[in-house]
Amino acid sequence: MTRAAALLLLAFALLATHATAAPAIVASGAWSRPAIGTGVVYLRVANRGPRPGLLDAARSPVARAVELHRSTSGSAMMGGTMMSGVMSMHPVRALAVPAHGTLTFAPGGYHVMLIGLQHDLRPGERFPLQL
């Protein structure tokens, strides 16, 4: 067997091994509330791999835009009075998923925003979401 043929055979073996390997990043437990106009998705993302992962985008055919967001609680000035416990929400560019760890999207924390819904989300409805 020539060296080129051996390298080609090794490349095919590596591709076959990679294709059958279990994915390192796995999403589970996704859920959403009924929604009109703008929706939200919560889920758990587990990284079974030895290296950190990066979640930096999402998309779904049910929404015009899909963004990663974080809700935080803090203080804000309202009508000249300092109010505590005020919730705010802002988009995040990317989220790290630690090696052998999890990232939880839950009310009051990280979540996936579905902006410009193509139709109202109803109880029990299922739809694709790609991370």
Side-chain angles (χ1 to χ4, degrees):
M1 182 181 301
T2 67
R3 183 170 186 220
L7 288 175
L8 187 59
L9 185 59
L10 177 61
F12 280 127
L14 289 173
L15 286 173
T17 302
H18 178 69
T20 60
I25 306 288
V26 178
S28 63
W31 64 278
S32 179
R33 298 181 176 117
I36 300 171
T38 302
V40 63
V41 176
Y42 304 108
L43 67 147
R44 181 178 173 173
V45 179
N47 182 354
R48 299 175 181 164
R51 293 181 303 220
L54 187 66
L55 177 58
D56 62 358
R59 64 181 171 199
S60 176
V62 301
R64 178 182 45 76
V66 181
E67 297 178 354
L68 305 173
H69 279 222
R70 181 176 186 197
S71 294
T72 57
S73 178
S75 299
M77 187 67 77
M78 292 186 167
T81 304
M82 183 62 78
M83 306 290 289
S84 62
V86 175
M87 293 298 293
S88 64
M89 177 182 61
H90 56 276
V92 294
R93 288 191 183 270
L95 296 167
V97 186
H100 303 291
T102 60
L103 177 62
T104 301
F105 290 71
Y110 294 116
H111 53 278
V112 179
M113 290 296 302
L114 304 170
I115 302 165
L117 289 171
Q118 302 297 327
H119 65 275
D120 298 345
L121 298 182
R122 293 172 290 285
E125 180 178 353
R126 293 174 163 259
F127 56 85
L129 174 65
Q130 183 179 13
L131 304 173

Coordinates of all heavy atoms in Angstrom, one line a residue, residues 1-91:
M1 N 0.9 -1.2 0.0 CA 0.0 0.0 0.0 C 0.9 1.2 0.0 O 1.9 1.3 0.8 CB -0.9 0.0 1.3 CG -1.8 1.1 1.3 SD -2.9 1.2 2.8 CE -3.7 -0.4 2.8
T2 N 0.6 2.2 -0.9 CA 1.4 3.4 -0.9 C 1.1 4.3 0.3 O 0.1 4.1 1.0 CB 1.1 4.2 -2.2 OG1 -0.2 4.7 -2.1 CG2 1.3 3.3 -3.4
R3 N 2.0 5.2 0.5 CA 1.8 6.1 1.6 C 0.6 7.0 1.5 O -0.2 7.2 2.4 CB 3.1 7.0 1.8 CG 3.0 7.9 3.0 CD 4.3 8.6 3.2 NE 4.2 9.3 4.5 CZ 4.7 10.5 4.6 NH1 5.4 11.1 3.7 NH2 4.5 11.1 5.8
A4 N 0.3 7.4 0.2 CA -0.9 8.3 0.0 C -2.1 7.5 0.2 O -3.1 8.0 0.8 CB -0.8 8.7 -1.5
A5 N -2.2 6.2 -0.2 CA -3.3 5.3 0.1 C -3.5 5.1 1.5 O -4.7 5.1 2.1 CB -3.2 4.0 -0.7
A6 N -2.4 4.9 2.3 CA -2.5 4.7 3.7 C -3.1 6.0 4.4 O -3.9 5.9 5.3 CB -1.2 4.3 4.3
L7 N -2.6 7.1 4.0 CA -3.1 8.4 4.6 C -4.6 8.6 4.3 O -5.4 9.0 5.1 CB -2.3 9.6 4.1 CG -0.9 9.7 4.6 CD1 -0.1 10.8 4.0 CD2 -0.9 9.9 6.1
L8 N -5.0 8.3 3.0 CA -6.4 8.4 2.7 C -7.2 7.4 3.5 O -8.3 7.8 4.0 CB -6.5 8.1 1.2 CG -7.9 8.3 0.6 CD1 -8.3 9.8 0.8 CD2 -7.9 8.0 -0.9
L9 N -6.8 6.2 3.7 CA -7.5 5.3 4.5 C -7.6 5.8 6.0 O -8.7 5.7 6.6 CB -6.8 3.9 4.5 CG -7.5 2.8 5.2 CD1 -8.9 2.5 4.6 CD2 -6.7 1.5 5.1
L10 N -6.5 6.3 6.5 CA -6.6 6.9 7.8 C -7.6 8.0 7.9 O -8.3 8.2 8.9 CB -5.2 7.3 8.3 CG -5.0 8.0 9.6 CD1 -5.5 7.1 10.7 CD2 -3.6 8.5 9.9
A11 N -7.6 8.9 6.9 CA -8.5 10.0 6.9 C -10.0 9.5 6.9 O -10.8 10.0 7.7 CB -8.3 10.9 5.7
F12 N -10.3 8.5 6.1 CA -11.6 8.0 6.1 C -12.0 7.3 7.5 O -13.1 7.5 8.0 CB -11.8 6.9 5.0 CG -12.0 7.5 3.7 CD1 -11.3 7.2 2.6 CD2 -13.1 8.5 3.5 CE1 -11.5 7.7 1.3 CE2 -13.3 9.0 2.2 CZ -12.5 8.7 1.2
A13 N -11.0 6.7 8.1 CA -11.2 6.1 9.4 C -11.5 7.1 10.5 O -12.4 7.0 11.3 CB -10.0 5.2 9.8
L14 N -10.8 8.2 10.4 CA -11.0 9.3 11.4 C -12.4 10.0 11.2 O -13.1 10.3 12.1 CB -9.9 10.4 11.3 CG -8.5 9.9 11.8 CD1 -7.5 11.0 11.5 CD2 -8.6 9.7 13.3
L15 N -12.7 10.2 9.9 CA -14.1 10.7 9.6 C -15.2 9.8 10.1 O -16.1 10.3 10.7 CB -14.2 11.0 8.1 CG -13.4 12.2 7.6 CD1 -13.5 12.3 6.1 CD2 -13.9 13.5 8.2
A16 N -15.0 8.5 9.9 CA -16.0 7.6 10.3 C -16.2 7.6 11.8 O -17.2 7.5 12.4 CB -15.7 6.2 9.8
T17 N -15.0 7.6 12.5 CA -15.0 7.7 14.0 C -15.7 8.9 14.5 O -16.5 8.9 15.4 CB -13.6 7.6 14.5 OG1 -13.0 6.4 14.0 CG2 -13.6 7.6 16.0
H18 N -15.4 10.0 13.8 CA -15.9 11.3 14.2 C -17.4 11.4 14.0 O -18.2 11.8 14.8 CB -15.3 12.5 13.5 CG -15.8 13.8 13.8 ND1 -15.6 14.4 15.0 CD2 -16.6 14.7 13.1 CE1 -16.3 15.6 15.1 NE2 -16.9 15.7 13.9
A19 N -17.9 10.8 12.9 CA -19.3 10.8 12.5 C -20.1 10.0 13.5 O -21.3 10.3 13.7 CB -19.5 10.4 11.1
T20 N -19.6 8.9 14.0 CA -20.3 8.0 14.9 C -20.2 8.4 16.4 O -20.8 7.8 17.2 CB -20.0 6.6 14.7 OG1 -18.6 6.4 15.0 CG2 -20.2 6.1 13.3
A21 N -19.3 9.3 16.7 CA -19.0 9.7 18.1 C -20.2 10.5 18.6 O -20.9 11.2 17.9 CB -17.8 10.5 18.2
A22 N -20.5 10.3 19.9 CA -21.6 11.0 20.5 C -21.3 12.5 20.6 O -20.1 12.9 20.8 CB -21.8 10.5 21.9
P23 N -22.2 13.4 20.4 CA -21.9 14.8 20.4 C -21.5 15.3 21.8 O -22.0 14.8 22.8 CB -23.3 15.5 20.0 CG -24.3 14.5 20.2 CD -23.6 13.1 20.1
A24 N -20.5 16.2 21.8 CA -20.0 16.7 23.1 C -21.0 17.6 23.8 O -21.1 17.7 25.0 CB -18.7 17.4 22.9
I25 N -21.7 18.5 23.0 CA -22.7 19.4 23.5 C -24.1 18.9 23.3 O -24.5 18.6 22.1 CB -22.5 20.8 22.9 CG1 -21.1 21.3 22.9 CG2 -23.5 21.8 23.5 CD1 -20.6 21.7 24.3
V26 N -24.9 18.8 24.3 CA -26.2 18.2 24.2 C -27.2 19.2 24.9 O -27.0 19.5 26.1 CB -26.3 16.8 24.8 CG1 -27.7 16.3 24.8 CG2 -25.3 15.9 24.2
A27 N -28.3 19.5 24.3 CA -29.4 20.3 24.9 C -30.5 19.4 25.3 O -30.8 18.4 24.7 CB -29.9 21.3 23.9
S28 N -31.1 19.7 26.4 CA -32.2 18.9 26.9 C -33.2 19.8 27.7 O -32.9 20.9 28.2 CB -31.7 17.8 27.8 OG -31.1 18.3 29.0
G29 N -34.4 19.2 28.0 CA -35.4 19.8 28.8 C -35.9 21.2 28.3 O -36.3 22.0 29.1
A30 N -35.9 21.4 27.0 CA -36.3 22.7 26.5 C -37.8 22.9 26.7 O -38.6 22.0 26.5 CB -36.0 22.8 25.0
W31 N -38.2 24.1 27.1 CA -39.6 24.5 27.2 C -39.8 25.9 27.0 O -38.9 26.7 27.1 CB -40.2 24.0 28.6 CG -39.5 24.7 29.8 CD1 -38.4 24.4 30.4 CD2 -40.1 25.9 30.5 NE1 -38.1 25.3 31.4 CE2 -39.2 26.2 31.5 CE3 -41.2 26.6 30.4 CZ2 -39.4 27.2 32.4 CZ3 -41.5 27.7 31.2 CH2 -40.6 28.0 32.3
S32 N -41.1 26.3 26.7 CA -41.4 27.6 26.4 C -42.8 27.9 26.9 O -43.6 27.0 27.1 CB -41.4 27.9 24.9 OG -41.8 29.2 24.6
R33 N -43.1 29.1 27.2 CA -44.5 29.5 27.6 C -45.3 29.9 26.4 O -44.7 30.2 25.3 CB -44.4 30.7 28.5 CG -43.7 30.5 29.8 CD -43.7 31.8 30.6 NE -43.1 31.6 31.9 CZ -42.0 32.3 32.2 NH1 -41.4 33.2 31.5 NH2 -41.4 32.1 33.4
P34 N -46.6 29.8 26.5 CA -47.4 30.4 25.4 C -47.0 31.8 25.2 O -46.7 32.5 26.2 CB -48.9 30.3 25.9 CG -48.8 29.2 26.9 CD -47.5 29.2 27.5
A35 N -47.0 32.3 23.9 CA -46.5 33.7 23.7 C -47.2 34.3 22.5 O -47.6 33.6 21.5 CB -45.0 33.6 23.5
I36 N -47.3 35.6 22.5 CA -47.8 36.4 21.3 C -46.7 37.4 21.0 O -46.3 38.2 21.9 CB -49.1 37.1 21.7 CG1 -50.2 36.1 22.1 CG2 -49.5 38.0 20.6 CD1 -51.4 36.7 22.7
G37 N -46.2 37.4 19.8 CA -45.2 38.4 19.4 C -43.8 38.1 19.7 O -42.9 38.0 18.9
T38 N -43.5 37.9 21.0 CA -42.2 37.5 21.5 C -42.3 36.4 22.4 O -43.1 36.4 23.3 CB -41.5 38.7 22.2 OG1 -41.5 39.8 21.3 CG2 -40.1 38.4 22.6
G39 N -41.4 35.4 22.3 CA -41.4 34.2 23.1 C -40.1 34.0 23.8 O -39.1 34.7 23.5
V40 N -40.0 33.0 24.6 CA -38.8 32.7 25.4 C -38.7 31.2 25.5 O -39.7 30.5 25.6 CB -38.8 33.4 26.8 CG1 -39.9 32.9 27.6 CG2 -37.5 33.2 27.5
V41 N -37.4 30.7 25.5 CA -37.2 29.3 25.6 C -36.1 29.1 26.8 O -35.2 29.9 26.8 CB -36.6 28.7 24.3 CG1 -36.2 27.2 24.5 CG2 -37.6 28.8 23.2
Y42 N -36.4 28.1 27.6 CA -35.5 27.7 28.7 C -35.0 26.3 28.4 O -35.8 25.5 27.9 CB -36.2 27.8 30.0 CG -36.8 29.2 30.3 CD1 -38.1 29.4 30.3 CD2 -36.0 30.3 30.6 CE1 -38.7 30.6 30.6 CE2 -36.5 31.5 30.8 CZ -37.9 31.7 30.8 OH -38.4 32.9 31.1
L43 N -33.8 26.0 28.8 CA -33.3 24.6 28.6 C -32.0 24.4 29.3 O -31.5 25.3 30.0 CB -33.0 24.4 27.1 CG -31.9 25.3 26.4 CD1 -31.2 24.5 25.3 CD2 -32.5 26.5 25.8
R44 N -31.4 23.2 29.2 CA -30.2 22.9 29.8 C -29.2 22.5 28.7 O -29.6 21.7 27.9 CB -30.4 21.8 30.9 CG -29.1 21.4 31.6 CD -29.4 20.4 32.6 NE -28.2 19.9 33.1 CZ -28.0 19.1 34.1 NH1 -29.1 18.6 34.7 NH2 -26.9 18.7 34.6
V45 N -28.0 23.0 28.8 CA -27.0 22.6 27.8 C -25.8 22.0 28.6 O -25.3 22.6 29.5 CB -26.5 23.9 27.0 CG1 -25.4 23.5 26.0 CG2 -27.6 24.6 26.3
A46 N -25.5 20.7 28.2 CA -24.5 20.0 28.9 C -23.3 19.8 27.9 O -23.5 19.5 26.7 CB -25.0 18.6 29.3
N47 N -22.1 19.9 28.4 CA -20.9 19.7 27.7 C -20.2 18.4 28.2 O -19.7 18.4 29.3 CB -20.0 20.9 27.8 CG -18.7 20.7 27.0 OD1 -18.4 19.7 26.4 ND2 -17.9 21.8 26.9
R48 N -20.3 17.4 27.5 CA -19.6 16.1 27.9 C -18.2 16.0 27.5 O -17.5 15.0 27.8 CB -20.4 14.9 27.2 CG -21.9 14.9 27.6 CD -22.6 13.8 26.9 NE -24.0 13.8 27.3 CZ -24.9 13.2 26.6 NH1 -24.6 12.5 25.5 NH2 -26.1 13.2 27.0
G49 N -17.7 17.0 26.8 CA -16.3 17.0 26.3 C -15.3 17.5 27.2 O -15.6 18.1 28.2
P50 N -14.0 17.3 26.9 CA -12.9 17.8 27.8 C -12.5 19.2 27.6 O -11.7 19.7 28.3 CB -11.8 16.9 27.3 CG -12.0 16.6 25.9 CD -13.6 16.5 25.8
R51 N -13.1 19.9 26.6 CA -12.8 21.3 26.4 C -14.1 22.2 26.5 O -15.2 21.7 26.2 CB -12.2 21.5 25.0 CG -10.9 20.9 24.8 CD -10.4 21.1 23.4 NE -11.4 20.6 22.5 CZ -11.1 20.0 21.4 NH1 -9.9 19.8 21.0 NH2 -12.1 19.5 20.6
P52 N -13.9 23.4 27.0 CA -15.1 24.3 27.0 C -15.7 24.5 25.7 O -15.0 24.5 24.7 CB -14.5 25.6 27.6 CG -13.2 25.3 28.1 CD -12.7 24.1 27.4
G53 N -17.0 24.7 25.7 CA -17.8 25.0 24.4 C -18.2 26.4 24.4 O -18.2 27.1 25.5
L54 N -18.6 26.9 23.3 CA -19.1 28.3 23.2 C -20.4 28.3 22.5 O -20.5 27.8 21.3 CB -18.1 29.1 22.4 CG -18.3 30.6 22.4 CD1 -18.2 31.2 23.8 CD2 -17.4 31.3 21.5
L55 N -21.4 28.8 23.1 CA -22.7 29.0 22.5 C -22.9 30.5 22.1 O -22.9 31.3 22.9 CB -23.8 28.6 23.5 CG -25.3 28.8 23.0 CD1 -25.5 28.0 21.8 CD2 -26.2 28.4 24.2
D56 N -22.9 30.7 20.8 CA -22.9 32.1 20.3 C -24.0 32.4 19.3 O -24.0 33.6 18.8 CB -21.5 32.4 19.7 CG -21.2 31.6 18.5 OD1 -21.9 30.7 18.1 OD2 -20.1 31.8 17.9
A57 N -24.9 31.5 19.1 CA -26.0 31.8 18.1 C -27.1 30.8 18.3 O -26.9 29.7 18.8 CB -25.5 31.8 16.7
A58 N -28.3 31.2 17.9 CA -29.5 30.3 17.9 C -30.4 30.8 16.7 O -30.3 31.9 16.3 CB -30.2 30.4 19.2
R59 N -31.2 29.8 16.3 CA -32.2 30.2 15.2 C -33.3 29.2 15.3 O -33.2 28.1 15.8 CB -31.5 30.3 13.9 CG -31.0 29.0 13.3 CD -30.4 29.1 12.0 NE -29.7 27.9 11.6 CZ -28.8 27.8 10.7 NH1 -28.5 28.9 10.0 NH2 -28.2 26.7 10.4
S60 N -34.5 29.7 14.8 CA -35.7 28.9 14.8 C -36.6 29.4 13.7 O -36.7 30.7 13.5 CB -36.4 28.9 16.1 OG -37.6 28.2 16.0
P61 N -37.3 28.6 12.9 CA -38.2 29.1 11.9 C -39.4 29.7 12.4 O -40.1 30.4 11.7 CB -38.5 27.8 11.1 CG -38.3 26.7 12.1 CD -37.2 27.1 13.0
V62 N -39.7 29.6 13.7 CA -40.9 30.3 14.3 C -40.7 31.7 14.6 O -41.6 32.4 15.0 CB -41.4 29.5 15.6 CG1 -41.7 28.1 15.3 CG2 -40.4 29.7 16.7
A63 N -39.4 32.3 14.5 CA -39.2 33.7 14.9 C -38.3 34.4 13.8 O -37.5 33.7 13.2 CB -38.5 33.7 16.2
R64 N -38.6 35.6 13.7 CA -37.8 36.5 12.7 C -36.3 36.5 13.2 O -35.4 36.5 12.4 CB -38.4 37.9 12.7 CG -37.6 38.9 11.8 CD -38.2 40.2 11.8 NE -38.6 40.7 13.1 CZ -37.8 41.2 14.0 NH1 -36.5 41.3 13.8 NH2 -38.3 41.7 15.2
A65 N -36.1 36.7 14.5 CA -34.8 36.7 15.1 C -34.8 35.9 16.4 O -35.8 35.8 17.1 CB -34.4 38.2 15.4
V66 N -33.6 35.3 16.7 CA -33.4 34.6 17.9 C -32.2 35.1 18.6 O -31.1 35.1 18.0 CB -33.4 33.0 17.7 CG1 -33.2 32.3 19.0 CG2 -34.6 32.6 16.9
E67 N -32.3 35.4 19.9 CA -31.1 36.0 20.6 C -30.9 35.3 21.9 O -31.9 34.9 22.6 CB -31.3 37.5 20.9 CG -31.4 38.3 19.6 CD -31.6 39.8 19.9 OE1 -31.9 40.2 21.1 OE2 -31.6 40.6 18.9
L68 N -29.7 35.2 22.4 CA -29.4 34.8 23.7 C -29.5 36.0 24.7 O -28.9 37.0 24.3 CB -27.9 34.2 23.8 CG -27.7 33.1 22.8 CD1 -26.2 32.7 22.8 CD2 -28.5 31.9 23.0
H69 N -30.1 35.8 25.8 CA -30.3 36.9 26.7 C -30.0 36.5 28.2 O -30.0 35.3 28.5 CB -31.8 37.4 26.7 CG -32.1 38.3 25.5 ND1 -32.9 39.4 25.7 CD2 -31.7 38.3 24.2 CE1 -33.0 40.1 24.5 NE2 -32.3 39.4 23.6
R70 N -29.9 37.5 29.0 CA -29.7 37.3 30.4 C -30.6 38.3 31.2 O -30.5 39.5 30.9 CB -28.3 37.5 30.9 CG -28.1 37.2 32.3 CD -26.6 37.3 32.7 NE -26.5 36.9 34.1 CZ -25.4 37.2 34.9 NH1 -24.4 37.8 34.3 NH2 -25.4 36.8 36.1
S71 N -31.3 37.8 32.2 CA -32.1 38.7 33.1 C -31.3 38.9 34.3 O -30.6 38.0 34.8 CB -33.4 38.1 33.4 OG -34.3 38.0 32.3
T72 N -31.3 40.1 34.8 CA -30.6 40.4 36.1 C -31.5 41.3 37.0 O -32.4 41.9 36.5 CB -29.3 41.2 35.8 OG1 -29.5 42.4 35.1 CG2 -28.3 40.3 35.1
S73 N -31.2 41.2 38.3 CA -31.9 42.0 39.2 C -31.0 43.0 39.8 O -29.8 42.7 40.2 CB -32.5 41.1 40.3 OG -33.1 41.9 41.3
G74 N -31.4 44.3 39.9 CA -30.5 45.3 40.5 C -31.3 46.5 40.9 O -32.5 46.4 41.2
S75 N -30.7 47.6 41.0 CA -31.3 48.9 41.4 C -31.4 49.8 40.2 O -30.6 49.8 39.3 CB -30.6 49.5 42.5 OG -30.5 48.7 43.6
A76 N -32.5 50.6 40.2 CA -32.6 51.6 39.1 C -33.4 52.8 39.6 O -34.2 52.7 40.6 CB -33.4 51.0 37.9
M77 N -33.1 54.0 39.0 CA -33.7 55.2 39.4 C -35.1 55.3 38.6 O -35.1 55.2 37.4 CB -32.9 56.4 39.1 CG -33.4 57.7 39.5 SD -33.4 57.9 41.3 CE -31.7 58.2 41.7
M78 N -36.2 55.4 39.4 CA -37.5 55.5 38.7 C -38.2 56.7 39.3 O -38.5 56.7 40.5 CB -38.3 54.2 38.9 CG -37.7 53.0 38.2 SD -38.9 51.7 38.4 CE -38.2 50.6 37.1
G79 N -38.5 57.7 38.5 CA -39.3 58.8 39.0 C -38.6 59.5 40.1 O -39.2 60.0 41.0
G80 N -37.3 59.6 40.1 CA -36.5 60.3 41.2 C -36.3 59.4 42.4 O -35.7 59.9 43.4
T81 N -36.8 58.2 42.4 CA -36.6 57.3 43.6 C -35.8 56.1 43.2 O -36.0 55.5 42.1 CB -38.0 56.8 44.1 OG1 -38.8 57.9 44.4 CG2 -37.9 55.9 45.3
M82 N -34.8 55.7 44.0 CA -34.0 54.5 43.8 C -34.8 53.3 44.2 O -35.3 53.2 45.3 CB -32.7 54.6 44.6 CG -31.8 53.4 44.3 SD -31.2 53.3 42.6 CE -30.0 54.5 42.5
M83 N -35.0 52.4 43.2 CA -35.8 51.2 43.4 C -34.9 50.0 43.4 O -34.1 49.9 42.4 CB -36.9 51.0 42.4 CG -37.8 52.2 42.2 SD -38.9 52.4 43.6 CE -40.0 51.1 43.4
S84 N -35.0 49.1 44.3 CA -34.2 47.9 44.3 C -35.1 46.7 43.8 O -36.3 46.8 43.8 CB -33.6 47.5 45.6 OG -34.6 47.3 46.6
G85 N -34.4 45.6 43.3 CA -35.1 44.5 42.8 C -35.7 44.6 41.5 O -36.6 43.9 41.1
V86 N -35.2 45.6 40.7 CA -35.7 45.9 39.4 C -35.1 44.9 38.4 O -33.8 44.7 38.4 CB -35.4 47.3 38.9 CG1 -35.8 47.6 37.5 CG2 -36.0 48.3 39.9
M87 N -35.9 44.2 37.6 CA -35.4 43.2 36.7 C -35.1 43.9 35.4 O -35.8 44.8 34.9 CB -36.4 42.1 36.4 CG -36.7 41.2 37.6 SD -35.2 40.3 38.1 CE -35.0 39.2 36.8
S88 N -34.0 43.5 34.8 CA -33.6 44.0 33.5 C -33.1 42.9 32.6 O -32.7 41.8 33.1 CB -32.5 45.1 33.5 OG -31.3 44.6 34.1
M89 N -33.2 43.0 31.3 CA -32.8 42.0 30.4 C -31.9 42.6 29.3 O -32.2 43.7 28.9 CB -34.1 41.4 29.8 CG -33.8 40.3 28.8 SD -35.4 39.7 28.1 CE -36.1 41.2 27.3
H90 N -30.9 41.8 29.0 CA -30.0 42.3 27.9 C -29.5 41.1 27.1 O -29.3 40.0 27.6 CB -28.9 43.2 28.4 CG -28.1 42.5 29.5 ND1 -28.4 42.5 30.8 CD2 -26.9 41.9 29.4 CE1 -27.5 41.8 31.5 NE2 -26.6 41.4 30.6
P91 N -29.2 41.4 25.8 CA -28.6 40.3 25.0 C -27.2 40.0 25.4 O -26.5 40.9 25.9 CB -28.7 40.8 23.6 CG -29.0 42.3 23.7 CD -29.5 42.5 25.0

